[in-house]
């Protein structure tokens, strides 16, 4: 499986009228997940979310590619 870097967010059974709407829905849910958490709690939620999604993906080569792309341009990388 190759890493999909194209927009790929959707909610089964929901009709979207704008291409960016699923991304907006995800962003809203992510912000709500962090609402009223301390910075430390928010970092813990992010770490847990990363591990849960990595486990769901399962393919270590895809995860390595995602980590490489995520690091590009950060701290002088890439």
């Amino acid at each position: 499986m190759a890493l999909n870097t194209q927009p790929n967010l959707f909610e089964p059974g929901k009709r979207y009228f704008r291409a960016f709407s699923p991304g907006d829905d995800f962003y809203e849910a992510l912000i709500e997940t962090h609402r009223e958490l301390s910075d430390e709690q928010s970092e813990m939620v992010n770490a847990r979310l990363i591990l849960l999604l990595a486990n769901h993906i399962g393919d270590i080569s895809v995860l390595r590619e995602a980590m490489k792309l995520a690091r590009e341009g950060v701290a002088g990388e890439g």
Side-chain angles (χ1 to χ4, degrees):
M1 171 189 334
L3 179 65
N4 181 1
T5 59
Q6 298 302 309
N8 189 37
L9 298 170
F10 65 93
E11 189 170 346
K14 186 169 182 180
R15 292 187 60 188
Y16 293 102
F17 298 102
R18 295 188 175 105
F20 58 82
S21 294
D24 287 349
D25 287 354
F26 170 72
Y27 184 74
E28 183 180 335
L30 184 61
I31 294 303
E32 186 59 33
T33 298
H34 290 271
R35 189 172 313 284
E36 299 180 13
L37 296 179
S38 68
D39 288 347
E40 185 177 285
Q41 290 169 323
S42 185
E43 289 173 5
M44 179 77 70
V45 166
N46 279 340
R48 292 182 72 185
L49 180 59
I50 289 166
L51 293 173
L52 287 165
L53 294 173
N55 185 67
H56 179 75
I57 292 166
D59 186 327
I60 293 174
S61 63
V62 170
L63 295 170
R64 283 189 178 115
E65 186 178 353
M67 288 184 279
K68 179 182 175 213
L69 287 174
R71 188 174 167 121
E72 284 181 4
V74 176
E77 296 281 326

